[in-house]
């Protein structure tokens, strides 16, 4: 379900002319990171100790070419 929602959001963003999609995810959230990696998101930044538990936030970007996948 998560994969379908992510793909639908990417298609909608692309249809509206979005140049890219960005998100952030806790470095410790391995299932979510695997989903985003598998859908073409790439790590573009990191916020050290961003979350209350001390986990880093990983900033990810989906390239424009991949937005319509």
């Amino acid at each position: 379900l998560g994969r379908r929602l992510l793909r639908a959001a990417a298609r909608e963003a692309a249809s509206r002319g979005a140049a890219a999609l960005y998100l952030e995810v806790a470095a410790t959230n391995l299932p979510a990171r695997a989903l985003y990696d598998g859908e073409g998101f790439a790590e573009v930044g990191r916020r050290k100790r961003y979350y209350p538990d001390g986990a880093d936030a990983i900033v990810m970007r989906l390239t424009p070419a991949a937005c319509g996948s």
Side-chain angles (χ1 to χ4, degrees):
L1 178 59
R3 189 172 305 279
R4 287 195 317 244
L5 288 169
L6 188 58
R7 287 178 180 176
R11 280 192 305 272
E12 182 64 20
S15 76
R16 292 174 182 238
L21 293 176
Y22 289 87
L23 60 81
E24 74 176 39
V25 60
T28 54
N29 189 342
L30 300 181
R33 289 177 57 195
L35 170 65
Y36 302 142
D37 286 338
E39 291 302 309
F41 280 85
E43 183 174 337
V44 294
R46 190 174 281 252
R47 296 181 175 121
K48 297 288 187 183
R49 297 176 299 284
Y50 182 77
Y51 293 102
D53 67 357
D56 290 355
I58 296 174
V59 179
M60 302 186 84
R61 178 181 189 260
L62 183 65
T63 60
C67 281
S69 325

